[in-house]
Amino acid sequence: MKRILLAEDDNDMRRFLVKALQNAGYDVISFDNGLSAYNRLREEPFELLLTDIVMPEMDGIELARVLITRFQIPIIYITAYSNREVLERAKLTDPFGYIVKPFRERQLKVNIELALERASREKRRRAVMAEFLSVNEELEGSIKDHAEDLWALLEKHQQMEREVAHYQRMADDLRHELANVNGALRIL
């Protein structure tokens, strides 16, 4: 059962949301302010935060701002405020949804389903990316080790080529001297 953390200061709205979410099959823990919701999230994980914006102690946007720096939790705002200033502040927290009151229960359920699916995909993407980075780091280390080995072999090969060239010059010099000695012996 998916767990939803709810922060809503209006008692009637909070009761309505808790009942609607429980009827939809979610486990819901609710609070009437952002600070209490934040403290609870620090104690245990939730799959989604559903929060009002204007609340006492810590508003929903501040709650979301703090949460996105510490936790990987999708956030849906439920609010009566849709003015430009509030919307711009909310956008900075990259919410998974923004529902303007009044709303229909179906609208709430659809937003939650979409947010949970998006969060699940992002979690899988982060896991795949972490695995990719781990493998990439391992490969880079292996390539670096092999590159160092190859450079050492190349240097050894170049040294051997220099030695072979040196010995060939010595052999050529010996052949030349032998030819001179043979020529001198023939004259005698």
Side-chain angles (χ1 to χ4, degrees), residues 4 25 27 39 52 77 92 113 155 157 175 180 184 188:
I4 295 177
D27 181 21
N39 288 332
D52 190 7
Y77 292 114
L92 295 174
E113 285 179 35
E155 288 175 4
H157 176 74
R175 272 191 230 108
N180 287 341
L188 291 172

Side-chain angles (χ1 to χ4, degrees), residues 9-153:
D9 63 330
D10 181 276
N11 290 331
D12 292 334
M13 178 57 76
R14 190 171 60 255
R15 280 192 294 273
F16 163 76
L17 289 168
V18 167
K19 184 175 179 177
L21 294 170
Q22 287 173 338
N23 288 342
Y26 298 108
D27 181 21
V28 183
I29 304 293
S30 67
F31 294 94
D32 64 357
N33 65 76
L35 185 58
S36 296
Y38 171 73
N39 288 332
R40 184 61 176 262
L41 185 61
R42 288 176 42 203
E43 295 171 10
E44 59 185 300
F46 288 86
E47 279 80 21
L48 180 89
L49 169 65
L50 187 61
T51 184
D52 190 7
I53 290 181
V54 178
M55 293 183 294
E57 296 187 49
M58 178 186 285
D59 77 14
I61 295 173
E62 181 62 19
L63 172 62
R65 190 188 64 73
V66 171
L67 293 181
I68 60 176
T69 61
R70 296 196 61 201
F71 305 97
Q72 299 287 329
I73 185 170
I75 298 160
I76 296 177
Y77 292 114
I78 45 170
T79 184
Y81 296 89
S82 60
N83 64 44
R84 177 56 80 202
E85 179 189 336
V86 171
L87 186 58
E88 290 303 316
R89 279 185 63 218
K91 284 180 359 184
L92 295 174
T93 63
D94 195 23
F96 281 53
Y98 192 100
I99 303 171
V100 178
K101 298 174 188 173
F103 56 87
R104 297 180 190 248
E105 195 172 320
R106 180 74 185 136
Q107 183 182 5
L108 174 67
K109 290 177 185 176
V110 166
N111 271 273
I112 289 172
E113 285 179 35
L114 291 173
L116 290 172
E117 178 59 31
R118 178 178 156 201
S120 176
R121 281 194 317 270
E122 287 187 11
K123 185 177 181 180
R124 287 191 304 269
R125 183 191 58 75
R126 282 191 304 273
V128 167
M129 183 58 80
E131 178 67 21
F132 169 78
L133 292 174
S134 173
V135 168
N136 189 50
E137 186 177 310
E138 191 175 305
L139 286 174
E140 284 179 352
S142 180
I143 288 170
K144 182 180 175 188
D145 291 346
H146 288 353
E148 289 171 358
D149 293 344
L150 287 173
W151 277 114
L153 286 172

